[in-house]
Amino acid sequence: MNDTAILPSYLVGSWQSGTGDGAEVKDAVTGETVCRVSSAGLDIAAAVEHARTVGAPALAALTFHERAGIVKQLALALSERKAELYELSARAGATARDAGVDVDGGFGTALVFSSLARKGLPDATVVAEDEFIGLGKEGSFGGRHLLTTPRGGVAVQINAFNFPVWGMLEKLAPALIAGVPNIVKPATPTAYIAQRAVEIMLESGALPEGALQLVCGSIPGLFDQLGGQDHVGFTGSAATAARLRGDAAVTQRSLHLNVEADSLNASVLGPDATPDSPEFGLFVKGLVTEMTVKAGQKCTAIRRALVPAAQLEAVTEAASAALGKVVVGAPGAEGVRMGALVGTEQRDDVRAAADRLAAAGRLVFGDPQQVAVVGADADRGAFLSPLLISADPQQVAPHEVEAFGPVSTLLPYADPADVVPILARGQGSLAGSVVSHDPDFVREVVLGAASHHGRILVLDRDCAAESTGHGIPMPQLVHGGPGRAGGGEEEGGLRAVHAHLHRTAVQGSPTALAMLAGEDVPA
Ligand code: NAP
């Protein structure tokens, strides 16, 4: 890729570049230009038509198992060439550990979907969701719910900058298995990573033409092409989500829009924990990990850390000591554990949000304006120190301000009965953790806060060794959250495939319905 070239998009069977200057994307570490992103002049309507008329019929001709086989080939191709994606991810500030979460997390998720589909879906094109439901006295008439691939439907995915590979794969895999062609629109700051991943998948030769297209840059007019057979999976800020929700495609034509937005996720240390209990150490480790992996640019990262008031000082000390050991700098440089934010604009946004949080309490670790950096120039790269704030849970800012970086707020609670109401002030979150070995406390918090959360981790000495951690969504389990988190649902095993299929209640005789479900019918 030429340093100043426009990043190509893949539309209607060929790589094409938008025109004009485009948006400049800079290296997060050095500040050098990586590429320019523009979709000006690209025929997006033609891409939708291509997906409907070429991609959709090609996929519809295959069974769930055949499509799952394609997804497996894509995942293996990405796995074989993951070094290329790691190299590009480093330009976005990601350490090898960060790139692993995105890249290996992405193809790993696709492999899980492929396996689940081959085990849990028929080698056919229709899913019968239930057995015969009798609706007459004699049993000759009833109904069944059949799931079918939308005719000519298109899945459009609009992704956030922080997971260019995982964010794409967790949407792409279930849509392809469902038989729906995809148009991917990556976020501009990391579009060059998504573009390479798409290139690798196309080069694998596994995909039928029209099954995967890519638009780098904005997508004016795309929603005008979409309607009731189509699906948009959006991940990003609540502000952009609100705009998309108001589009006529959604309000008038019933376009299915799934929103994964931002979230002020919490982790709660139980009142049973003391500095010498395993749960205390697990809580602090989880907090520090969530603050520093991907420099805190994870939608699931712990933004609010609730601790018993009696342990506030001990937690502050332990977390500060651990954060003090985190070396910040260029990915790959000696000892570096935390890389850069995606860009200096993002860093400035995070600094401003951290200032608002600090104004509601006090900064107990880090300096928003200064950070020691290894292997890079601190002024040219988008580096930021981890920042830990301590605040009264009655303040508004910790429950409203998302600092999308290595920032978290400690909130002391005096009475365990206050925990659920404090959690609810986040207005709906993707992920929560309860770190406790006290069954009564765990029950009270999990059941009390469940309706405000998409996922809750109960972390204790019994499961810690195998736990996947607070911030990692697993493809087998639902990812999403109510309220502020967007109200959407992704992953969750085969639920994600079903979300792309159309459910129709079909009525008739048991024989007719069994025949439609693809089951053996006695002659
Ligand atoms: P963003 O600014 O809302 O952008 C998200 C995506 O929307 C980008 O691809 C962006 O493209 C696109 N977009 C912007 N305006 C649009 C419009 N008018 N029409 C169609 N698309 C439009 O969010 P971000 O800064 O990339 O991501 C950070 C946010 O995402 C954080 O708040 C984070 O919490 C959230 N997030 C949530 C999840 C989750 O699973 N819930 C996961 C990751 C991130 P351009 O980049 O080209 O503008």
Side-chain angles (χ1 to χ4, degrees):
M1 187 195 326
N2 178 317
D3 264 2
T4 51
I6 295 279
L7 190 69
S9 294
Y10 186 79
L11 301 175
V12 196
S14 69
W15 288 101
Q16 309 173 19
S17 291
T19 55
D21 287 344
E24 183 186 18
V25 177
K26 290 184 177 173
D27 186 308
V29 178
T30 64
E32 290 163 5
T33 305
V34 177
C35 63
R36 293 181 167 277
V37 173
S38 165
S39 61
L42 298 180
D43 191 345
I44 291 174
V48 176
E49 187 60 17
H50 188 64
R52 290 201 198 293
T53 56
V54 178
L59 287 169
L62 305 174
T63 66
F64 292 114
H65 287 199
E66 287 168 331
R67 295 180 210 131
I70 291 175
V71 167
K72 185 173 179 183
Q73 287 184 60
L74 300 180
L76 294 178
L78 289 167
S79 159
E80 273 165 28
R81 290 174 63 182
K82 72 177 189 176
E84 293 173 41
L85 298 169
Y86 274 49
E87 209 176 296
L88 291 177
S89 302
R91 303 202 73 179
T95 63
R97 172 175 77 155
D98 300 338
V101 176
D102 185 38
V103 176
D104 299 47
F107 65 70
T109 293
L111 287 173
V112 170
F113 276 122
S114 174
S115 164
L116 290 174
R118 278 174 285 131
K119 285 183 201 139
L121 293 175
D123 192 14
T125 54
V126 177
V127 178
E129 210 179 20
D130 40 28
E131 299 295 322
F132 182 78
I133 302 163
L135 297 171
K137 277 192 187 144
E138 307 298 328
S140 67
F141 179 73
R144 293 180 78 169
H145 293 97
L146 300 187
L147 305 179
T148 57
T149 300
R151 271 176 72 81
V154 178
V156 173
Q157 46 166 287
I158 303 173
N159 292 329
F161 72 79
N162 57 339
F163 282 109
V165 180
W166 174 84
M168 172 165 60
L169 268 291
E170 56 115 19
K171 294 184 174 80
L172 183 65
L176 283 177
I177 291 169
V180 183
N182 286 253
I183 298 176
V184 176
K185 184 255 173 289
T188 294
T190 52
Y192 57 96
I193 306 170
Q195 187 271 346
R196 177 64 62 83
V198 167
E199 206 170 29
I200 292 171
M201 290 191 279
L202 291 170
E203 285 173 9
S204 76
L207 284 162
E209 178 48 45
L212 173 59
Q213 300 182 82
L214 173 78
V215 184
C216 297
S218 57
I219 44 171
L222 174 58
F223 273 50
D224 297 344
Q225 311 296 319
L226 303 178
Q229 297 291 310
D230 305 315
H231 181 286
V232 172
F234 170 80
T235 303
S237 64
T240 309
R243 256 201 232 170
L244 301 182
R245 280 198 171 103
D247 195 282
V250 179
T251 58
Q252 292 173 28
R253 298 193 295 279
S254 302
L255 164 69
H256 184 225
L257 173 67
N258 189 77
V259 172
E260 299 288 334
D262 60 29
S263 164
L264 293 165
N265 316 289
S267 179
V268 183
L269 179 64
D272 52 309
T274 55
D276 50 7
S277 66
E279 284 71 27
F280 186 96
L282 292 169
F283 176 85
V284 171
K285 189 172 172 212
L287 174 61
V288 171
T289 300
E290 290 300 313
M291 287 177 70
T292 55
V293 171
K294 291 187 69 73
Q297 299 168 111
K298 275 190 14 263
C299 52
T300 50
I302 297 168
R303 306 289 175 208
R304 300 179 295 157
L306 276 64
V307 297
Q311 301 300 342
L312 178 63
E313 209 179 308
V315 170
T316 306
E317 264 175 34
S320 299
L323 290 169
K325 291 188 193 141
V326 174
V327 177
V328 178
E334 183 70 25
V336 166
R337 270 183 54 204
M338 190 174 103
L341 299 187
V342 76
T344 48
E345 235 174 79
Q346 177 67 15
R347 180 200 56 197
D348 295 346
D349 284 355
V350 176
R351 275 183 180 154
D355 285 348
R356 286 181 64 195
L357 290 166
R362 69 191 176 91
L363 197 60
V364 295
F365 183 88
D367 178 342
Q369 301 303 327
Q370 296 228 4
V371 57
V373 166
V374 173
D377 179 339
D379 293 327
R380 296 181 69 86
F383 297 101
L384 188 67
S385 165
L387 301 170
L388 189 61
I389 292 147
S390 182
D392 187 318
Q394 293 316 316
Q395 291 286 330
V396 172
H399 310 289
E400 282 193 3
V401 178
E402 183 197 41
F404 202 60
V407 185
S408 193
T409 306
L410 292 170
L411 301 169
Y413 66 86
D415 181 347
D418 294 340
V419 167
V420 168
I422 294 173
L423 292 175
R425 291 187 65 184
Q427 306 279 331
S429 297
L430 296 165
S433 288
V434 185
V435 192
S436 168
H437 205 234
D438 173 346
D440 293 335
F441 179 74
V442 167
R443 189 182 312 107
E444 181 182 334
V445 175
V446 173
L447 300 184
S451 67
H452 279 82
H453 288 81
R455 174 168 63 83
I456 300 181
L457 162 69
V458 180
L459 183 62
D460 62 17
R461 62 196 78 175
D462 299 335
C463 70
E466 282 201 314
S467 165
T468 47
H470 167 100
I472 306 285
M474 300 305 292
Q476 296 89 341
L477 302 180
V478 162
H479 172 63
R484 177 176 178 147
E489 212 175 79
E490 286 179 340
E491 306 206 287
L494 293 178
R495 287 178 188 85
V497 178
H498 290 179
H500 284 280
L501 299 173
H502 190 84
R503 177 178 295 109
T504 305
V506 182
Q507 293 173 290
S509 71
T511 313
L513 297 184
M515 178 271 296
L516 291 168
E519 293 161 3
D520 288 338
V521 181

